[in-house]
Amino acid sequence: MKKPLRARIGGARVAAPSAVAERARAGLFAYVDGMAAQGAAPETALAEIAEGKAATGIARVALSATAAPAGLACTRGCAFCCILGGEDGATITEAEARALHAALRPLAGQPDGRAWHPRACPALDPETRACRAYDARPVICRSYVSTDAAACERVAGGIPAQGPGTLGPYHTYLAALGLSRAALRGVRRVSTHALSRLAAAAVEGASLEDALAASRHKPGALDAELSRSRRDRSRAGLP
Ligand code: SF4
Ligand code: SF4
């Protein structure tokens, strides 16, 4: 790679509001600088950015500093948000896909969330409705919150309702992924994966390679998720 990684990140563009894009870029710079300070080779930083570890790390740090909304209704076993929409369920990074597979593959053959609801995430326990991959759950699961569980049930049934939504760090995560992809264009693939397809493959006993292949998105999926993110922020009156 002729151009240094930092310069590539500096010149990358993403279709996100400028405040979100610049927060994500600052996070990627901090990630690269932090790895250099630890003595990691530039190739290691590049590999982690390509896998989405940087985007995930940026979001997790931001989430740890984000106050929960007042009147939060989320509790263990309240799982309407784990009833996933569309074919994909949600967008996750390759690093998150690998971690989820490692957590779920040992549970292959056990009843999964789909025994409770046909569109539930396969990572869910159908009896307790708790996430069986809690420590490995992706950023979208950590970011989606609500002040009204009944509204979540309506949304899961396809009826729009006020209450649930994603916290700001999810939008920064998407922008960081988009910047990572733009920065590494022609050097390394930055893939995203479908949560529901990855989890289904893992609990059905697929190998990591097969689960990654079965869940890998086409490149346009991240662009579509970035568009949804912009619409959601605009509806919420955020810049
Ligand atoms: S987001 Fe909604 S469904 Fe999920 S735990 Fe919170 S209140 Fe329950
Ligand atoms: S990974 Fe866990 S928290 Fe996320 S949708 Fe699946 S069951 Fe729910």
Side-chain angles (χ1 to χ4, degrees), residues 131-229:
C131 178
R132 298 183 297 165
Y134 194 75
D135 290 341
R137 72 199 191 288
V139 167
I140 180 61
C141 306
R142 295 167 191 261
S143 308
Y144 194 86
V145 295
S146 178
T147 52
D148 183 351
C152 295
E153 185 171 14
R154 287 197 292 281
V155 169
I159 303 164
Q162 296 285 327
T166 41
L167 297 172
Y170 178 65
H171 305 278
T172 311
Y173 157 90
L174 288 178
L177 265 180
L179 285 175
S180 300
R181 180 174 286 175
L184 299 189
R185 186 159 292 129
V187 178
R188 231 16 193 272
R189 177 171 67 183
V190 177
S191 62
T192 62
H193 293 258
L195 168 59
S196 51
R197 279 190 269 139
L198 184 286
V203 301
E204 285 158 16
S207 68
L208 174 62
E209 288 67 30
D210 287 350
L212 288 176
S215 61
R216 188 170 287 118
H217 277 147
K218 293 200 169 103
L222 177 58
D223 298 332
E225 190 60 16
L226 279 160
S227 295
R228 273 192 289 277
S229 158

